[in-house]
Amino acid sequence: MLDDFMIRAALAGLGVAFAAAPLGCFVVWRRMAYFGEATAHAAILGVALALSFSLPLLPAIIMAALVMGLTVTVFRGRGYAMDTLLGVMAHTALAAGMVAVSLLADVRLDLSAFLFGDILAVTRGDLAAIWLGGALIVGLMAWRWSALLTATLNPDLARASGIDPRREELWLTLALALVVAVAIKVVGVLLIAALLVIPAAAARPLVRTPESMAFAAAALGGTAAIGGLGGAYLGDTPAGPSIVCAATLLFVATALVGPALRRR
């Protein structure tokens, strides 16, 4: 069955959608969409480091994304505004990664595959990594769900309950690093933030509880993955951007019909 590249692509898209759904909810609730984008941009620097030192690609991407998230967290504690930090770090990481790749004289690398994804070229090994990483992300979110939710909705209540909001933010940073590493093959660095934010934002008008929002985001993300791949196949368009466009159409649809459904 897995010999069919479209089936592998669909499974890869579903794996990323299910992994990104609960994390995307926290990204929306915390208004940190650009944090996800900055973490994703660091992946290019991770690619450059992996090629420079002959390291495995996946751990290098995770490490670069983690360093990005931790750096933003540290500097935010020194009085810098979050949007300023994210603007500086996101563009610096992307630019530094592209410069570093260009300096690798013995390596010829097509950065477009990392920037926009290449889901149609997913191998069985990639598929295993995507679903294993997705399972780790979902497990991490399930384990920290209550503490993360409390720290997100009311940091003061979290402290009174013995929950450290900064520690929960570090767990969230780790999950973001994992989802970047998982999703880079599917939608690429430039579109990862969209896949995190759009399904969760689309789910918001349809639900009443945080848990139902996570499940709805997973369903909408999976629908966008399959619908985007179908559109790319029929229209001969790039698969990664097509998935994001499908997610945007779902966002528009739920924004229009969501309020009416919730009034019933």
Side-chain angles (χ1 to χ4, degrees):
M1 181 181 71
L2 294 184
D3 289 335
D4 190 331
F5 74 96
M6 284 299 292
I7 293 178
R8 290 199 300 271
L11 290 174
L14 289 173
V16 170
F18 295 156
L23 184 57
C25 293
F26 283 102
V27 169
V28 169
W29 293 330
R30 287 173 172 255
R31 296 180 175 88
M32 54 187 297
Y34 289 110
F35 189 90
E37 185 174 348
T39 308
H41 285 180
I44 292 295
L45 190 55
V47 171
L49 292 174
L51 296 175
S52 299
F53 298 101
S54 300
L55 299 173
L57 195 59
L58 198 62
I61 292 173
I62 293 174
M63 186 58 63
L66 273 177
V67 169
M68 165 64 76
L70 293 174
T71 301
V72 170
T73 301
V74 168
F75 276 93
R76 191 181 65 171
R78 299 187 178 185
Y80 289 95
M82 176 63 86
D83 59 345
T84 301
L85 281 174
L86 293 178
V88 171
M89 298 301 295
H91 296 97
T92 299
L94 182 60
M98 296 182 74
V99 169
V101 168
S102 71
L103 294 176
L104 299 175
D106 298 330
V107 176
R108 296 183 62 85
L109 182 66
D110 181 13
L111 279 179
S112 63
F114 292 100
L115 293 175
F116 299 104
D118 194 9
I119 189 172
L120 298 180
V122 166
T123 65
R124 294 187 182 203
D126 293 330
L127 202 55
I130 288 169
W131 278 90
L132 178 59
L136 288 174
I137 294 165
V138 171
L140 177 61
M141 288 291 98
W143 174 45
R144 305 304 305 172
W145 182 266
S146 179
L148 273 169
L149 191 59
T150 304
T152 297
L153 299 179
N154 194 327
D156 292 331
L157 177 61
R159 293 187 188 95
S161 303
I163 299 169
D164 184 358
R166 295 294 294 274
R167 182 188 63 204
E168 300 309 317
E169 188 172 305
L170 291 177
W171 282 117
L172 198 58
T173 300
L174 173 61
L176 273 171
L178 286 172
V179 84
V180 166
V182 165
I184 191 171
K185 186 77 174 181
V186 176
V187 292
V189 166
L190 299 181
L191 302 176
I192 288 174
L195 199 63
L196 276 170
V197 172
I198 297 176
R204 197 168 193 172
L206 304 177
V207 299
R208 298 180 184 274
T209 66
E211 291 78 12
S212 60
M213 181 170 166
F215 285 110
L220 290 169
T223 302
I226 300 301
L229 281 172
Y233 181 79
L234 295 174
D236 194 23
T237 56
S242 297
I243 291 173
V244 176
C245 288
T248 302
L249 291 176
L250 290 174
F251 170 77
V252 173
T254 60
L256 293 175
V257 306
L261 291 175
R262 294 185 67 175
R263 284 195 295 266
R264 291 183 177 179

